[in-house]
PDB file of all heavy atoms in Angstrom:
ATOM      1  N   ASP A  20       6.202 -32.790   9.987  1.00 98.00           N
ATOM      2  CA  ASP A  20       4.922 -32.396   9.397  1.00 98.00           C
ATOM      3  C   ASP A  20       4.615 -30.946   9.739  1.00 98.00           C
ATOM      4  O   ASP A  20       5.318 -30.313  10.529  1.00 98.00           O
ATOM      5  CB  ASP A  20       3.794 -33.297   9.901  1.00 98.00           C
ATOM      6  CG  ASP A  20       2.639 -33.426   8.912  1.00 98.00           C
ATOM      7  OD1 ASP A  20       2.456 -32.524   8.063  1.00 98.00           O
ATOM      8  OD2 ASP A  20       1.912 -34.426   8.989  1.00 98.00           O
ATOM      9  N   ASP A  21       3.555 -30.469   9.151  1.00 97.00           N
ATOM     10  CA  ASP A  21       3.009 -29.146   9.427  1.00 97.00           C
ATOM     11  C   ASP A  21       2.168 -29.237  10.696  1.00 97.00           C
ATOM     12  O   ASP A  21       1.455 -30.227  10.907  1.00 97.00           O
ATOM     13  CB  ASP A  21       2.140 -28.691   8.241  1.00 97.00           C
ATOM     14  CG  ASP A  21       1.711 -27.249   8.345  1.00 97.00           C
ATOM     15  OD1 ASP A  21       0.849 -26.945   9.195  1.00 97.00           O
ATOM     16  OD2 ASP A  21       2.244 -26.431   7.583  1.00 97.00           O
ATOM     17  N   PHE A  22       2.250 -28.213  11.539  1.00 95.00           N
ATOM     18  CA  PHE A  22       1.514 -28.211  12.802  1.00 95.00           C
ATOM     19  C   PHE A  22       0.010 -28.388  12.594  1.00 95.00           C
ATOM     20  O   PHE A  22      -0.681 -28.937  13.448  1.00 95.00           O
ATOM     21  CB  PHE A  22       1.804 -26.909  13.560  1.00 95.00           C
ATOM     22  CG  PHE A  22       1.321 -26.919  14.977  1.00 95.00           C
ATOM     23  CD1 PHE A  22       1.983 -27.659  15.950  1.00 95.00           C
ATOM     24  CD2 PHE A  22       0.208 -26.189  15.352  1.00 95.00           C
ATOM     25  CE1 PHE A  22       1.541 -27.672  17.266  1.00 95.00           C
ATOM     26  CE2 PHE A  22      -0.243 -26.190  16.660  1.00 95.00           C
ATOM     27  CZ  PHE A  22       0.429 -26.936  17.618  1.00 95.00           C
ATOM     28  N   ARG A  23      -0.494 -27.954  11.459  1.00 95.00           N
ATOM     29  CA  ARG A  23      -1.938 -28.079  11.192  1.00 95.00           C
ATOM     30  C   ARG A  23      -2.394 -29.534  11.111  1.00 95.00           C
ATOM     31  O   ARG A  23      -3.579 -29.821  11.201  1.00 95.00           O
ATOM     32  CB  ARG A  23      -2.307 -27.323   9.917  1.00 95.00           C
ATOM     33  CG  ARG A  23      -2.159 -25.807  10.081  1.00 95.00           C
ATOM     34  CD  ARG A  23      -2.334 -25.076   8.789  1.00 95.00           C
ATOM     35  NE  ARG A  23      -1.137 -25.289   7.968  1.00 95.00           N
ATOM     36  CZ  ARG A  23      -0.824 -24.556   6.911  1.00 95.00           C
ATOM     37  NH1 ARG A  23      -1.614 -23.579   6.524  1.00 95.00           N
ATOM     38  NH2 ARG A  23       0.268 -24.803   6.234  1.00 95.00           N
ATOM     39  N   ASN A  24      -1.459 -30.459  10.971  1.00 97.00           N
ATOM     40  CA  ASN A  24      -1.792 -31.886  10.925  1.00 97.00           C
ATOM     41  C   ASN A  24      -1.613 -32.578  12.271  1.00 97.00           C
ATOM     42  O   ASN A  24      -1.603 -33.807  12.349  1.00 97.00           O
ATOM     43  CB  ASN A  24      -0.925 -32.588   9.873  1.00 97.00           C
ATOM     44  CG  ASN A  24      -1.293 -32.169   8.474  1.00 97.00           C
ATOM     45  OD1 ASN A  24      -2.451 -31.899   8.184  1.00 97.00           O
ATOM     46  ND2 ASN A  24      -0.295 -32.096   7.612  1.00 97.00           N
ATOM     47  N   LYS A  25      -1.495 -31.811  13.339  1.00 96.00           N
ATOM     48  CA  LYS A  25      -1.196 -32.383  14.660  1.00 96.00           C
ATOM     49  C   LYS A  25      -2.217 -33.416  15.119  1.00 96.00           C
ATOM     50  O   LYS A  25      -1.870 -34.374  15.804  1.00 96.00           O
ATOM     51  CB  LYS A  25      -1.046 -31.272  15.695  1.00 96.00           C
ATOM     52  CG  LYS A  25      -2.310 -30.515  15.977  1.00 96.00           C
ATOM     53  CD  LYS A  25      -2.065 -29.405  16.967  1.00 96.00           C
ATOM     54  CE  LYS A  25      -3.260 -28.755  17.333  1.00 96.00           C
ATOM     55  NZ  LYS A  25      -4.081 -27.913  17.341  1.00 96.00           N
ATOM     56  N   ALA A  26      -3.480 -33.273  14.727  1.00 95.00           N
ATOM     57  CA  ALA A  26      -4.522 -34.210  15.169  1.00 95.00           C
ATOM     58  C   ALA A  26      -4.221 -35.641  14.714  1.00 95.00           C
ATOM     59  O   ALA A  26      -4.546 -36.601  15.425  1.00 95.00           O
ATOM     60  CB  ALA A  26      -5.890 -33.775  14.658  1.00 95.00           C
ATOM     61  N   LEU A  27      -3.588 -35.793  13.564  1.00 96.00           N
ATOM     62  CA  LEU A  27      -3.226 -37.131  13.080  1.00 96.00           C
ATOM     63  C   LEU A  27      -2.310 -37.841  14.074  1.00 96.00           C
ATOM     64  O   LEU A  27      -2.426 -39.050  14.280  1.00 96.00           O
ATOM     65  CB  LEU A  27      -2.504 -37.029  11.734  1.00 96.00           C
ATOM     66  CG  LEU A  27      -3.286 -36.437  10.568  1.00 96.00           C
ATOM     67  CD1 LEU A  27      -2.352 -36.200   9.389  1.00 96.00           C
ATOM     68  CD2 LEU A  27      -4.424 -37.368  10.177  1.00 96.00           C
ATOM     69  N   PHE A  28      -1.425 -37.089  14.696  1.00 96.00           N
ATOM     70  CA  PHE A  28      -0.441 -37.675  15.591  1.00 96.00           C
ATOM     71  C   PHE A  28      -0.965 -37.791  17.016  1.00 96.00           C
ATOM     72  O   PHE A  28      -0.582 -38.703  17.740  1.00 96.00           O
ATOM     73  CB  PHE A  28       0.861 -36.873  15.511  1.00 96.00           C
ATOM     74  CG  PHE A  28       1.355 -36.827  14.087  1.00 96.00           C
ATOM     75  CD1 PHE A  28       1.132 -35.713  13.306  1.00 96.00           C
ATOM     76  CD2 PHE A  28       1.969 -37.928  13.526  1.00 96.00           C
ATOM     77  CE1 PHE A  28       1.543 -35.689  11.981  1.00 96.00           C
ATOM     78  CE2 PHE A  28       2.385 -37.915  12.213  1.00 96.00           C
ATOM     79  CZ  PHE A  28       2.173 -36.791  11.428  1.00 96.00           C
ATOM     80  N   ILE A  29      -1.863 -36.898  17.400  1.00 95.00           N
ATOM     81  CA  ILE A  29      -2.507 -37.001  18.714  1.00 95.00           C
ATOM     82  C   ILE A  29      -3.349 -38.274  18.767  1.00 95.00           C
ATOM     83  O   ILE A  29      -3.412 -38.955  19.788  1.00 95.00           O
ATOM     84  CB  ILE A  29      -3.351 -35.749  19.019  1.00 95.00           C
ATOM     85  CG1 ILE A  29      -2.426 -34.544  19.225  1.00 95.00           C
ATOM     86  CG2 ILE A  29      -4.241 -35.968  20.241  1.00 95.00           C
ATOM     87  CD1 ILE A  29      -3.154 -33.207  19.315  1.00 95.00           C
ATOM     88  N   ASN A  30      -3.982 -38.620  17.649  1.00 94.00           N
ATOM     89  CA  ASN A  30      -4.780 -39.848  17.596  1.00 94.00           C
ATOM     90  C   ASN A  30      -3.925 -41.086  17.822  1.00 94.00           C
ATOM     91  O   ASN A  30      -4.387 -42.074  18.387  1.00 94.00           O
ATOM     92  CB  ASN A  30      -5.509 -39.967  16.256  1.00 94.00           C
ATOM     93  CG  ASN A  30      -6.659 -38.998  16.150  1.00 94.00           C
ATOM     94  OD1 ASN A  30      -7.213 -38.559  17.157  1.00 94.00           O
ATOM     95  ND2 ASN A  30      -7.015 -38.626  14.934  1.00 94.00           N
ATOM     96  N   LYS A  31      -2.668 -41.045  17.410  1.00 93.00           N
ATOM     97  CA  LYS A  31      -1.761 -42.188  17.576  1.00 93.00           C
ATOM     98  C   LYS A  31      -1.058 -42.158  18.932  1.00 93.00           C
ATOM     99  O   LYS A  31      -0.876 -43.184  19.564  1.00 93.00           O
ATOM    100  CB  LYS A  31      -0.735 -42.192  16.434  1.00 93.00           C
ATOM    101  CG  LYS A  31       0.298 -43.260  16.531  1.00 93.00           C
ATOM    102  CD  LYS A  31      -0.296 -44.636  16.345  1.00 93.00           C
ATOM    103  CE  LYS A  31       0.813 -45.688  16.388  1.00 93.00           C
ATOM    104  NZ  LYS A  31       0.350 -46.979  16.728  1.00 93.00           N
ATOM    105  N   PHE A  32      -0.638 -40.961  19.350  1.00 94.00           N
ATOM    106  CA  PHE A  32       0.099 -40.778  20.604  1.00 94.00           C
ATOM    107  C   PHE A  32      -0.612 -39.696  21.422  1.00 94.00           C
ATOM    108  O   PHE A  32      -0.350 -38.511  21.247  1.00 94.00           O
ATOM    109  CB  PHE A  32       1.543 -40.349  20.340  1.00 94.00           C
ATOM    110  CG  PHE A  32       2.328 -41.282  19.481  1.00 94.00           C
ATOM    111  CD1 PHE A  32       2.685 -40.918  18.194  1.00 94.00           C
ATOM    112  CD2 PHE A  32       2.729 -42.519  19.963  1.00 94.00           C
ATOM    113  CE1 PHE A  32       3.437 -41.773  17.394  1.00 94.00           C
ATOM    114  CE2 PHE A  32       3.478 -43.386  19.172  1.00 94.00           C
ATOM    115  CZ  PHE A  32       3.828 -43.011  17.882  1.00 94.00           C
ATOM    116  N   SER A  33      -1.481 -40.098  22.332  1.00 94.00           N
ATOM    117  CA  SER A  33      -2.285 -39.127  23.077  1.00 94.00           C
ATOM    118  C   SER A  33      -1.434 -38.171  23.910  1.00 94.00           C
ATOM    119  O   SER A  33      -1.849 -37.035  24.166  1.00 94.00           O
ATOM    120  CB  SER A  33      -3.302 -39.843  23.968  1.00 94.00           C
ATOM    121  OG  SER A  33      -2.645 -40.677  24.905  1.00 94.00           O
ATOM    122  N   ILE A  34      -0.237 -38.581  24.310  1.00 94.00           N
ATOM    123  CA  ILE A  34       0.638 -37.711  25.100  1.00 94.00           C
ATOM    124  C   ILE A  34       0.995 -36.440  24.330  1.00 94.00           C
ATOM    125  O   ILE A  34       1.309 -35.411  24.931  1.00 94.00           O
ATOM    126  CB  ILE A  34       1.918 -38.475  25.537  1.00 94.00           C
ATOM    127  CG1 ILE A  34       2.726 -37.650  26.525  1.00 94.00           C
ATOM    128  CG2 ILE A  34       2.779 -38.846  24.338  1.00 94.00           C
ATOM    129  CD1 ILE A  34       2.045 -37.374  27.826  1.00 94.00           C
ATOM    130  N   LEU A  35       0.906 -36.497  23.017  1.00 96.00           N
ATOM    131  CA  LEU A  35       1.256 -35.320  22.215  1.00 96.00           C
ATOM    132  C   LEU A  35       0.266 -34.168  22.379  1.00 96.00           C
ATOM    133  O   LEU A  35       0.618 -33.022  22.105  1.00 96.00           O
ATOM    134  CB  LEU A  35       1.379 -35.696  20.738  1.00 96.00           C
ATOM    135  CG  LEU A  35       2.600 -36.516  20.370  1.00 96.00           C
ATOM    136  CD1 LEU A  35       2.561 -36.897  18.898  1.00 96.00           C
ATOM    137  CD2 LEU A  35       3.882 -35.760  20.696  1.00 96.00           C
ATOM    138  N   GLU A  36      -0.945 -34.461  22.837  1.00 96.00           N
ATOM    139  CA  GLU A  36      -1.926 -33.385  22.991  1.00 96.00           C
ATOM    140  C   GLU A  36      -1.413 -32.319  23.951  1.00 96.00           C
ATOM    141  O   GLU A  36      -1.462 -31.113  23.656  1.00 96.00           O
ATOM    142  CB  GLU A  36      -3.275 -33.928  23.458  1.00 96.00           C
ATOM    143  CG  GLU A  36      -4.343 -32.842  23.495  1.00 96.00           C
ATOM    144  CD  GLU A  36      -5.740 -33.413  23.626  1.00 96.00           C
ATOM    145  OE1 GLU A  36      -5.909 -34.603  23.957  1.00 96.00           O
ATOM    146  OE2 GLU A  36      -6.680 -32.634  23.385  1.00 96.00           O
ATOM    147  N   LYS A  37      -0.895 -32.720  25.091  1.00 96.00           N
ATOM    148  CA  LYS A  37      -0.380 -31.766  26.063  1.00 96.00           C
ATOM    149  C   LYS A  37       0.844 -31.032  25.505  1.00 96.00           C
ATOM    150  O   LYS A  37       1.002 -29.836  25.694  1.00 96.00           O
ATOM    151  CB  LYS A  37      -0.011 -32.467  27.366  1.00 96.00           C
ATOM    152  CG  LYS A  37       0.383 -31.499  28.473  1.00 96.00           C
ATOM    153  CD  LYS A  37       0.720 -32.228  29.757  1.00 96.00           C
ATOM    154  CE  LYS A  37      -0.562 -32.465  30.526  1.00 96.00           C
ATOM    155  NZ  LYS A  37      -0.331 -32.924  31.905  1.00 96.00           N
ATOM    156  N   ALA A  38       1.699 -31.745  24.783  1.00 96.00           N
ATOM    157  CA  ALA A  38       2.885 -31.130  24.192  1.00 96.00           C
ATOM    158  C   ALA A  38       2.488 -30.094  23.137  1.00 96.00           C
ATOM    159  O   ALA A  38       3.023 -28.979  23.116  1.00 96.00           O
ATOM    160  CB  ALA A  38       3.781 -32.200  23.571  1.00 96.00           C
ATOM    161  N   PHE A  39       1.545 -30.451  22.272  1.00 95.00           N
ATOM    162  CA  PHE A  39       1.097 -29.507  21.241  1.00 95.00           C
ATOM    163  C   PHE A  39       0.383 -28.311  21.858  1.00 95.00           C
ATOM    164  O   PHE A  39       0.492 -27.187  21.351  1.00 95.00           O
ATOM    165  CB  PHE A  39       0.203 -30.201  20.220  1.00 95.00           C
ATOM    166  CG  PHE A  39       0.946 -31.046  19.224  1.00 95.00           C
ATOM    167  CD1 PHE A  39       0.477 -32.302  18.892  1.00 95.00           C
ATOM    168  CD2 PHE A  39       2.098 -30.599  18.599  1.00 95.00           C
ATOM    169  CE1 PHE A  39       1.138 -33.101  17.961  1.00 95.00           C
ATOM    170  CE2 PHE A  39       2.770 -31.373  17.665  1.00 95.00           C
ATOM    171  CZ  PHE A  39       2.285 -32.629  17.344  1.00 95.00           C
ATOM    172  N   ASP A  40      -0.358 -28.524  22.950  1.00 94.00           N
ATOM    173  CA  ASP A  40      -0.995 -27.397  23.643  1.00 94.00           C
ATOM    174  C   ASP A  40       0.057 -26.410  24.136  1.00 94.00           C
ATOM    175  O   ASP A  40      -0.118 -25.196  24.023  1.00 94.00           O
ATOM    176  CB  ASP A  40      -1.840 -27.881  24.830  1.00 94.00           C
ATOM    177  CG  ASP A  40      -3.153 -28.515  24.398  1.00 94.00           C
ATOM    178  OD1 ASP A  40      -3.540 -28.371  23.222  1.00 94.00           O
ATOM    179  OD2 ASP A  40      -3.786 -29.168  25.256  1.00 94.00           O
ATOM    180  N   PHE A  41       1.156 -26.920  24.681  1.00 94.00           N
ATOM    181  CA  PHE A  41       2.219 -26.022  25.124  1.00 94.00           C
ATOM    182  C   PHE A  41       2.837 -25.297  23.936  1.00 94.00           C
ATOM    183  O   PHE A  41       3.137 -24.103  24.014  1.00 94.00           O
ATOM    184  CB  PHE A  41       3.316 -26.753  25.902  1.00 94.00           C
ATOM    185  CG  PHE A  41       4.344 -25.796  26.416  1.00 94.00           C
ATOM    186  CD1 PHE A  41       4.142 -25.114  27.601  1.00 94.00           C
ATOM    187  CD2 PHE A  41       5.487 -25.523  25.678  1.00 94.00           C
ATOM    188  CE1 PHE A  41       5.061 -24.182  28.053  1.00 94.00           C
ATOM    189  CE2 PHE A  41       6.419 -24.596  26.119  1.00 94.00           C
ATOM    190  CZ  PHE A  41       6.207 -23.924  27.317  1.00 94.00           C
ATOM    191  N   VAL A  42       3.024 -25.997  22.832  1.00 91.00           N
ATOM    192  CA  VAL A  42       3.596 -25.377  21.631  1.00 91.00           C
ATOM    193  C   VAL A  42       2.746 -24.181  21.206  1.00 91.00           C
ATOM    194  O   VAL A  42       3.272 -23.131  20.846  1.00 91.00           O
ATOM    195  CB  VAL A  42       3.734 -26.418  20.499  1.00 91.00           C
ATOM    196  CG1 VAL A  42       3.939 -25.754  19.152  1.00 91.00           C
ATOM    197  CG2 VAL A  42       4.881 -27.367  20.802  1.00 91.00           C
ATOM    198  N   LEU A  43       1.426 -24.323  21.253  1.00 87.00           N
ATOM    199  CA  LEU A  43       0.544 -23.197  20.897  1.00 87.00           C
ATOM    200  C   LEU A  43       0.805 -21.990  21.791  1.00 87.00           C
ATOM    201  O   LEU A  43       0.842 -20.855  21.319  1.00 87.00           O
ATOM    202  CB  LEU A  43      -0.927 -23.608  21.001  1.00 87.00           C
ATOM    203  CG  LEU A  43      -1.490 -24.405  19.847  1.00 87.00           C
ATOM    204  CD1 LEU A  43      -2.918 -24.841  20.161  1.00 87.00           C
ATOM    205  CD2 LEU A  43      -1.459 -23.598  18.558  1.00 87.00           C
ATOM    206  N   LYS A  44       1.003 -22.232  23.073  1.00 82.00           N
ATOM    207  CA  LYS A  44       1.301 -21.140  24.002  1.00 82.00           C
ATOM    208  C   LYS A  44       2.666 -20.537  23.725  1.00 82.00           C
ATOM    209  O   LYS A  44       2.898 -19.352  23.973  1.00 82.00           O
ATOM    210  CB  LYS A  44       1.249 -21.639  25.446  1.00 82.00           C
ATOM    211  CG  LYS A  44      -0.125 -22.067  25.895  1.00 82.00           C
ATOM    212  CD  LYS A  44      -0.067 -22.656  27.280  1.00 82.00           C
ATOM    213  CE  LYS A  44      -1.397 -23.305  27.622  1.00 82.00           C
ATOM    214  NZ  LYS A  44      -1.339 -24.085  28.843  1.00 82.00           N
ATOM    215  N   SER A  45       3.600 -21.335  23.219  1.00 76.00           N
ATOM    216  CA  SER A  45       4.970 -20.864  23.006  1.00 76.00           C
ATOM    217  C   SER A  45       5.100 -19.923  21.818  1.00 76.00           C
ATOM    218  O   SER A  45       6.130 -19.288  21.648  1.00 76.00           O
ATOM    219  CB  SER A  45       5.915 -22.053  22.821  1.00 76.00           C
ATOM    220  OG  SER A  45       5.783 -22.617  21.533  1.00 76.00           O
ATOM    221  N   CYS A  46       4.078 -19.836  21.006  1.00 73.00           N
ATOM    222  CA  CYS A  46       4.173 -19.009  19.798  1.00 73.00           C
ATOM    223  C   CYS A  46       4.434 -17.537  20.104  1.00 73.00           C
ATOM    224  O   CYS A  46       4.865 -16.795  19.235  1.00 73.00           O
ATOM    225  CB  CYS A  46       2.928 -19.174  18.940  1.00 73.00           C
ATOM    226  SG  CYS A  46       2.834 -20.827  18.212  1.00 73.00           S
ATOM    227  N   GLY A  47       4.207 -17.104  21.311  1.00 74.00           N
ATOM    228  CA  GLY A  47       4.491 -15.729  21.696  1.00 74.00           C
ATOM    229  C   GLY A  47       5.919 -15.507  22.154  1.00 74.00           C
ATOM    230  O   GLY A  47       6.321 -14.384  22.430  1.00 74.00           O
ATOM    231  N   PHE A  48       6.737 -16.564  22.201  1.00 73.00           N
ATOM    232  CA  PHE A  48       8.112 -16.450  22.684  1.00 73.00           C
ATOM    233  C   PHE A  48       9.059 -16.047  21.561  1.00 73.00           C
ATOM    234  O   PHE A  48      10.073 -16.667  21.326  1.00 73.00           O
ATOM    235  CB  PHE A  48       8.603 -17.782  23.272  1.00 73.00           C
ATOM    236  CG  PHE A  48       7.758 -18.341  24.376  1.00 73.00           C
ATOM    237  CD1 PHE A  48       7.708 -19.698  24.594  1.00 73.00           C
ATOM    238  CD2 PHE A  48       7.019 -17.525  25.216  1.00 73.00           C
ATOM    239  CE1 PHE A  48       6.948 -20.241  25.612  1.00 73.00           C
ATOM    240  CE2 PHE A  48       6.251 -18.056  26.239  1.00 73.00           C
ATOM    241  CZ  PHE A  48       6.217 -19.412  26.436  1.00 73.00           C
TER     242      PHE A  48
END
């Protein structure tokens, strides 16, 4: 999926919130 839809998956798998937060930080790499 597109990253903009991440909330749909966080609602199903709460562990993804921390993973997606790291992904946001990684955009500068």
Side-chain angles (χ1 to χ4, degrees):
D20 208 336
D21 189 288
F22 191 74
R23 292 172 286 196
N24 291 326
K25 67 182 185 258
L27 298 171
F28 303 100
I29 291 171
N30 287 336
K31 177 67 177 157
F32 303 110
S33 60
I34 189 64
L35 288 176
E36 186 166 14
K37 187 179 274 191
F39 283 136
D40 285 347
F41 184 84
V42 164
L43 281 175
K44 294 175 190 170
S45 76
C46 291
F48 304 152

